[in-house]
Amino acid sequence: MNIDDDLSAWAAVTRLSPAEAEAIFQQVITPAPQLNARWWRDFSAGLAATMVASTRQQRWAA
Amino acid sequence: MDPETEFRRLYQAHRSAVHAYFTGRTGDRDLAADLMQETFTRVWRHLDRLAGMGADGERAWIFTIARNLSVDHARQARTRSAALRSLASQPARAPRLPSTQVIESDRVAAVGKAISELPEAQRVTLTMAAAGQMTSAEIGAALGVPAGTVRYRLSQARTTLAAALGRYDEQDQ
């Protein structure tokens, strides 16, 4: 076996199969699921309120 | 041409080269597939930037993304290794190599092992030529090095590989 045959045999098992490549393609073009907008709005509002409240407590304590 | 058709054309044209590049860098075809997916995810998100680029410009842009990802991955891998070493007080394990993952044939495993032991620049170049089926000029454009340097690295890699396989054949007899 010459080195070109060796490299070809190695490359054949290293390359992605057409099925693997197509699966990756589909994953790339499929949009990732988005966070629910209402959940995100409520979470942000709650976080902001908690931060404001904690800041007020620190001022009062000082 | 609609964006998905345009993206499929790009993907078909460059996916083997990008996968070969990451396989050469990481020594792991599955990890290389993950990094290839991340590369093409970024290409897909910024497809409009490719408008008007020729084939060489497309390849150069895609490989700029791939090289940046490779640098980020290497940095993260070093950080992870350091963290694991400090937690476990054990040496980090070397990345899995193609020969230990998917290759059943002893001969092909010997080829994979010999490639994994090449210096990185030679390993990446040889993998892009063999698995990516790229010319010296294409590899040079992708890596940002002259084609003559690519040919020299390929020559060195093939000489080292031939010597390693010669030793394997002697042991096998």
Side-chain angles (χ1 to χ4, degrees):
Chain A
M1 215 175 181
N2 68 36
I3 194 165
D4 288 321
D5 292 336
D6 283 327
L7 283 170
S8 293
W10 173 78
V13 297
T14 302
R15 283 190 204 107
L16 295 176
S17 69
E20 287 174 309
E22 180 61 23
I24 290 171
F25 179 84
Q26 292 301 331
Q27 284 181 25
V28 170
I29 62 168
T30 303
Q34 300 289 314
L35 280 174
N36 178 284
R38 181 171 179 170
W39 180 89
W40 181 245
R41 196 168 53 244
D42 292 348
F43 172 80
S44 300
L47 180 64
T50 303
M51 288 179 68
V52 169
S54 68
T55 306
R56 280 183 184 151
Q57 282 175 345
Q58 283 179 350
R59 281 184 187 160
W60 178 81
Chain B
M1 197 183 290
D2 71 278
E4 189 173 322
T5 305
E6 171 66 5
F7 179 64
R8 183 176 283 279
R9 180 191 67 76
L10 277 170
Y11 184 76
Q12 292 299 347
H14 300 290
R15 70 170 175 78
S16 295
V18 173
H19 183 255
Y21 168 72
F22 283 124
T23 300
R25 289 297 304 261
T26 66
D28 183 327
R29 76 182 288 278
D30 294 335
L31 177 56
D34 290 344
L35 291 166
M36 182 192 89
Q37 178 174 335
E38 180 59 30
T39 299
F40 280 102
T41 297
R42 294 183 187 190
V43 171
W44 174 237
R45 284 186 194 142
H46 303 290
L47 197 60
D48 54 319
R49 293 187 192 171
L50 283 169
M53 280 190 196
D56 289 346
E58 287 174 356
R59 182 183 294 110
W61 185 65
I62 290 170
F63 270 91
T64 298
I65 295 172
R67 289 202 304 269
N68 288 340
L69 267 175
S70 185
V71 169
D72 290 347
H73 170 76
R75 190 180 299 130
Q76 288 165 4
R78 277 196 300 273
T79 305
R80 268 198 306 275
S81 294
L84 287 172
R85 273 197 301 274
S86 66
L87 282 172
S89 300
Q90 291 176 350
R93 294 176 64 184
R96 292 182 305 159
L97 300 170
S99 58
T100 61
Q101 285 178 17
V102 297
I103 301 170
E104 293 176 7
S105 152
D106 286 350
R107 177 78 184 181
V108 175
V111 175
K113 182 173 183 299
I115 291 173
S116 75
E117 291 169 352
L118 291 171
E120 180 170 321
Q122 292 180 25
R123 187 175 71 238
V124 171
T125 306
L126 185 66
T127 305
M128 291 173 83
Q133 296 181 307
M134 298 169 76
T135 66
S136 296
E138 289 170 341
I139 295 169
L143 298 180
V145 298
T149 302
V150 172
R151 285 192 289 274
Y152 177 74
R153 287 178 186 171
L154 280 176
S155 171
Q156 295 286 97
R158 288 170 65 92
T159 301
T160 307
L161 189 61
L165 291 175
R167 288 193 296 275
Y168 171 81
D169 289 338
E170 284 173 11
Q171 289 171 359
D172 202 36
Q173 286 170 0

